[in-house]
Amino acid sequence: MALDGIYLYALARQIRQEALGSRVEKIHQPSKEEIILWLRSPAGRCRLLCCANPSAPRVQLTGLNPENPKIPPQFCTLLRKHLSTGKLVGVRQEGLDRVLHLDFEAINELGDVVTLTLTMEIMGRHSNLILVNQEGKVLDAIRRVGEEQSSVRLLLPGVTYRPAPAQHKLNPLTASSQEVQAAFRALPDMAFSKAILQVYQGISPLLSRELAEYACNGAELNKSQVSDYRYGRLLERLTQLKEQIDSDSAAYTMVLENGRPREFSVCPLEQYRGALESREFADPSSLLDGFYSQRDLQLRMAQKGQDLLRVLTSASQRAQRKLGHRQEELQRSLDRQRYQQLGDLIQANLYQIQKGDTETTVTDYFDEEQKPVTIPLDPALSPAQNAQKYYKEYRKAKTARELLGGLIRQSEEEIVYLDSIFDELARATRESDLNAIREELEQQGYLRRARRKLKPDKPLPPLEFVTEDGFTVLCGRNNRQNDQLTLKTARNYDLWFHTKDIPGSHVILQSQGEERPFPERSILQAAAIAATHSRGQDSNQVPVDYTLIKYVKKPNGARPGMVIFTHNKTLYVAPDPALCEKLAKEAK
């Protein structure tokens, strides 16, 4: 859902309480449309996130620390130039507009103290983050808006900043009952929740439904059916919300559907009547961290991995086409025996064929009913040469049959390999993961090797878990690390796990160097880790093969991550991210 004006009011209050007076210590730009300001004050440090991504626009304090690019983007460099060591002196919201102005005192190039404003506009696909000087001129925006995008409101360096057009609605936290009733009376009859949306500023459709639910005691009424008593309940509830926010006692609530965040608000959401799981948070920023953390990670990785996705998609489509052509050619070569038979029939009937004939009809001695068959001929060739032409086609088809089997296997292996890279890309959580994928694709010839000015990333260790029985489980992050784990790190009596016929990580349950049976619980937990770190992570049941590491081999010339194995058993387990988080070594 979109962050509404009342929620932004709560966020602004929290930012004033915890960050006002802080100085800017560092500025990072983890992704194209995200800025994080590291703020420091005598009371401590905090991080202020400003996100202009259309799918998750917001400004909040965050406990998350996403990975940053080694080379800062242009807008980040500009903010560092103007805001480094600046002091946050103001947090302003006009009414309940979804626009927050952050005022900073900073020192300009001449040594003068100036006030710069970082304006966060939360307006869906038009969301933006704009730096404005004290003369009201735009220094830059994280998403520049030129004449091609808008002829009404430009957001380019040097233009005068103009606020977005205001909505002529009532502020629900300050409007009098007379103003409210007059505004409702001016509307045509409609659902009461929609009327609330039309009258009040800064209220989302979700909150308007919740307010209507409270005012009407759960009944779905039209505006004309709402009594003065119910209008009184509406105003009472809005007053309660303001008092709860101002006293830091609001119940910031997130509802989840099948374990995934669905909605959030400044108050409990009774409209779902217990059908969805509900969680409450102590402050608005921690709720947003919980709601957006996984989604932000996926968006960030999608942005940074777009070039890899294009390369993989192109390579996969090419491999699929190549496999299709080879299979068609193989099908045609299956009729090779017929070419030999036609050559034999021509040889047996040379006496009745003349040079220049385009076809000949002879008795087919290879047919059980001895039916006549018409054989096409090349008029430029003699009868004997026509026979040799069919023999040549037979030998060619026979050779193709022998070669195509291997080529088809190569194409199938390539498609499986590319699927494994797609899976790695979907599960990448750090820029170093993307760099490892990029380097692997360069080694395999899918990408041209780039000249790098920066030092290569230090390889990350495999993911490490500890089962409830105390056994260590290692999980590969990518194909090269899978090979390292399986072929170098693991010992003969360790157990090896991999999802059956599904791309995923190699997982090793270490035996601590001893030949002994593993507890069933540890085997199941290792299998759940393998299922979670695979393409089947969103499934209810995933088949996982496991065997002793001594039965796992890598064929000569096989691509990274590709192995063969024997003596395996199969378990059906449910992916369990919560279990993985619990067993992760960092959590111990």
Side-chain angles (χ1 to χ4, degrees):
M1 67 157 285
L3 184 150
D4 61 20
I6 287 185
Y7 204 96
L8 184 60
Y9 173 84
L11 288 167
R13 173 181 168 77
Q14 183 188 11
I15 294 169
R16 288 190 198 98
Q17 288 180 322
E18 300 185 24
L20 200 63
S22 300
R23 291 200 175 273
V24 178
E25 190 173 49
K26 291 185 285 187
I27 302 175
H28 290 156
Q29 187 171 352
S31 67
K32 184 179 178 182
E33 294 161 327
E34 265 184 320
I35 289 291
I36 292 183
L37 303 176
W38 294 62
L39 303 175
R40 173 177 48 83
S41 70
R45 289 180 170 85
C46 60
R47 291 189 286 271
L48 181 64
L49 168 67
C50 300
C51 178
N53 190 295
S55 66
R58 65 197 189 278
V59 55
Q60 62 163 111
L61 298 174
T62 181
L64 305 177
N65 184 19
E67 189 179 22
N68 296 289
K70 293 184 177 180
I71 301 176
Q74 181 179 346
F75 188 68
C76 180
T77 303
L78 177 91
L79 292 182
R80 288 177 179 178
K81 174 184 175 182
H82 291 284
L83 295 184
S84 288
T85 72
K87 183 179 180 181
L88 180 62
V89 295
V91 180
R92 296 180 286 117
Q93 182 186 17
E94 303 296 335
L96 286 185
D97 275 348
R98 292 193 300 164
V99 177
L100 197 66
H101 304 283
L102 304 169
D103 297 324
F104 292 88
E105 277 187 357
I107 307 296
N108 66 10
E109 295 172 344
L110 301 177
D112 298 327
V113 177
V114 294
T115 300
L116 301 174
T117 300
L118 190 61
T119 296
M120 181 73 231
E121 297 183 344
I122 301 172
M123 300 185 298
R125 62 190 181 91
H126 300 294
S127 298
N128 214 332
L129 182 63
I130 308 138
L131 183 63
V132 182
N133 65 17
Q134 61 186 10
E135 287 80 33
K137 299 291 185 181
V138 173
L139 295 177
D140 209 347
I142 202 167
R143 298 170 66 196
R144 292 182 177 180
V145 179
E147 293 181 350
E148 300 82 5
Q149 292 84 23
S150 173
S151 59
V152 178
R153 185 168 178 261
L154 303 182
L155 292 172
L156 296 171
V159 305
T160 300
Y161 173 74
R162 292 192 301 165
Q167 290 183 320
H168 300 292
K169 297 182 179 182
L170 299 179
N171 185 333
L173 303 184
T174 60
S176 67
S177 60
Q178 293 81 6
E179 291 174 319
V180 171
Q181 289 180 1
F184 274 108
R185 281 196 298 269
L187 293 176
D189 196 25
M190 62 180 71
F192 188 45
S193 61
K194 292 184 178 179
I196 293 173
L197 206 59
Q198 293 292 321
V199 167
Y200 283 125
Q201 174 193 45
I203 288 183
S204 65
L206 175 74
L207 185 55
S208 70
R209 293 194 302 270
E210 192 63 34
L211 292 171
E213 175 95 3
Y214 179 88
C216 302
N217 293 317
E220 295 183 6
L221 302 179
N222 282 350
K223 181 178 75 72
S224 59
Q225 299 172 296
V226 176
S227 63
D228 290 343
Y229 168 75
R230 299 193 188 282
Y231 279 117
R233 283 180 60 83
L234 172 64
L235 296 175
E236 174 192 338
R237 182 58 176 145
L238 287 169
T239 301
Q240 286 178 355
L241 284 178
K242 184 178 187 305
E243 291 175 351
Q244 288 170 351
I245 293 171
D246 291 344
S247 63
D248 299 324
S249 60
Y252 300 100
T253 303
M254 174 171 67
V255 292
L256 302 93
E257 185 174 20
N258 298 323
R260 297 180 180 276
R262 175 172 166 176
E263 304 278 9
F264 64 86
S265 185
V266 293
C267 62
L269 296 172
E270 304 294 342
Q271 59 191 278
Y272 294 110
R273 297 176 173 82
L276 301 180
E277 180 187 353
S278 180
R279 293 182 190 172
E280 290 188 4
F281 294 78
D283 62 78
S285 290
S286 59
L287 185 154
L288 294 182
D289 273 349
F291 189 89
Y292 284 116
S293 58
Q294 187 62 32
R295 185 185 304 185
D296 279 354
L297 176 62
Q298 292 170 348
L299 288 172
R300 201 177 295 118
M301 290 297 103
Q303 286 179 351
K304 294 181 178 180
Q306 281 180 352
D307 60 327
L308 296 177
L309 183 61
R310 283 194 299 269
V311 168
L312 286 172
T313 300
S314 176
S316 181
Q317 291 173 346
R318 188 167 56 247
Q320 293 282 1
R321 287 195 301 270
K322 191 184 296 184
L323 176 62
H325 294 327
R326 287 172 174 174
Q327 289 174 333
E328 290 175 6
E329 192 174 348
L330 177 62
Q331 190 61 40
R332 290 195 297 270
S333 73
L334 295 177
D335 297 330
R336 67 187 186 281
Q337 195 67 34
R338 187 58 176 166
Y339 292 124
Q340 185 180 37
Q341 292 175 355
L342 295 177
D344 290 343
L345 291 173
I346 293 173
Q347 286 282 41
N349 293 276
L350 288 176
Y351 64 92
Q352 67 177 42
I353 304 172
Q354 303 296 321
K355 184 175 182 179
D357 289 348
T358 58
E359 62 180 31
T360 183
T361 301
V362 299
T363 302
D364 187 355
Y365 301 115
F366 299 99
D367 183 67
E368 292 181 359
E369 300 180 7
Q370 304 282 299
K371 292 181 179 179
V373 61
T374 299
I375 305 173
L377 300 173
D378 186 342
L381 301 178
S382 67
Q385 288 173 328
N386 269 291
Q388 292 302 318
K389 179 183 176 182
Y390 277 102
Y391 289 143
K392 183 178 180 181
E393 288 295 328
Y394 164 73
R395 291 191 296 271
K396 181 180 176 181
K398 182 180 179 181
T399 303
R401 169 70 173 165
E402 294 169 353
L403 293 176
L404 283 170
L407 293 174
I408 287 173
R409 282 193 298 275
Q410 288 179 11
S411 294
E412 291 172 340
E413 290 171 359
E414 181 181 16
I415 291 170
V416 171
Y417 170 71
L418 291 173
D419 277 349
S420 73
I421 302 293
F422 272 117
D423 177 59
E424 287 179 24
L425 187 59
R427 292 187 289 109
T429 59
R430 304 170 62 91
E431 191 167 1
S432 52
D433 293 335
L434 298 180
N435 291 337
I437 295 172
R438 187 172 284 108
E439 188 175 344
E440 181 178 339
L441 291 175
E442 288 175 356
Q443 291 179 347
Q444 295 299 311
Y446 293 101
L447 278 174
R448 184 178 299 175
R449 189 172 292 276
R451 294 180 61 186
R452 293 185 174 85
K453 296 181 181 179
L454 300 174
K455 292 182 179 179
D457 293 324
K458 183 180 179 181
L460 291 170
L463 299 173
E464 190 168 345
F465 306 87
V466 179
T467 70
E468 293 176 349
D469 300 305
F471 288 85
T472 298
V473 179
L474 302 178
C475 177
R477 296 175 184 266
N478 52 58
N479 281 328
R480 291 195 300 165
Q481 198 169 84
N482 286 340
D483 280 350
Q484 177 70 26
L485 274 181
T486 300
L487 305 175
K488 301 291 180 62
T489 304
R491 297 292 179 260
N492 278 351
Y493 299 113
D494 294 346
L495 276 183
W496 179 88
F497 295 77
H498 192 279
T499 45
K500 183 179 181 66
D501 301 327
I502 300 173
S505 296
H506 292 199
V507 172
I508 305 297
L509 176 59
Q510 293 187 316
S511 63
Q512 302 170 351
E514 301 177 15
E515 183 180 6
R516 57 174 177 168
F518 289 95
E520 182 180 354
R521 180 171 61 175
S522 290
I523 293 175
L524 289 172
Q525 289 177 349
I529 291 170
T532 305
H533 293 84
S534 76
R535 182 176 289 179
Q537 59 186 342
D538 294 325
S539 304
N540 293 326
Q541 290 287 315
V542 177
V544 177
D545 288 331
Y546 71 100
T547 186
L548 286 172
I549 197 70
K550 63 182 179 180
Y551 298 125
V552 183
K553 309 295 180 186
K554 187 174 186 69
N556 290 334
R559 293 178 182 271
M562 302 293 109
V563 295
I564 56 176
F565 53 92
T566 56
H567 297 76
N568 57 289
K569 299 178 182 178
T570 303
L571 288 171
Y572 287 83
V573 297
D576 194 342
L579 176 67
C580 293
E581 186 176 347
K582 175 184 173 183
L583 300 182
K585 189 172 182 181
E586 293 81 0
K588 297 291 181 179

